[in-house]
Amino acid sequence: MSTQIDIDTAWILKQLKMGEQAVANFKAEATSIQHTMDKLNKQVTPDFMTRYIEVKEGLVTEIKADQFTKLKQAFVDSQLAVSAFIETDAKLGGKG
């Protein structure tokens, strides 16, 4: 039984790492966008508002909806992995 638990644990850790990576990727993208917006806020030009709107619209199109979907799926996968492990552990006599 020890081997089965070790395999399950490795799988859960892998799922959790994937969730962490999805969060890190999302955070990096958000930080990049924030830096761009900060730069825009410091610009002073006669046509600033027009340029600001153009760049803002460009950034919005760059944020793909699947980033949110991937992030959500990574959380779901991690949650399912932990639940499955707890259930397996309980079946094997653990306190789950």
Side-chain angles (χ1 to χ4, degrees), residues 25-90:
N25 292 345
F26 183 79
K27 194 173 184 180
E29 183 68 23
T31 301
S32 173
I33 290 169
Q34 185 61 50
H35 286 297
T36 302
M37 297 306 284
D38 289 344
K39 287 179 188 175
L40 283 172
N41 286 331
K42 294 176 184 174
Q43 289 180 356
V44 180
T45 63
D47 200 16
F48 171 72
M49 285 310 293
T50 302
R51 182 68 185 133
Y52 179 84
I53 291 168
E54 288 172 358
V55 173
K56 184 177 175 184
E57 288 172 357
L59 286 173
V60 169
T61 59
E62 287 180 23
I63 301 172
K64 298 174 179 67
D66 69 337
Q67 287 178 320
F68 294 105
T69 304
K70 286 178 185 176
L71 181 61
K72 183 179 177 185
Q73 189 60 50
F75 283 132
V76 169
D77 290 345
S78 295
Q79 190 175 30
L80 289 174
V82 171
S83 296
F85 181 75
I86 289 170
E87 186 177 314
T88 301
D89 183 58

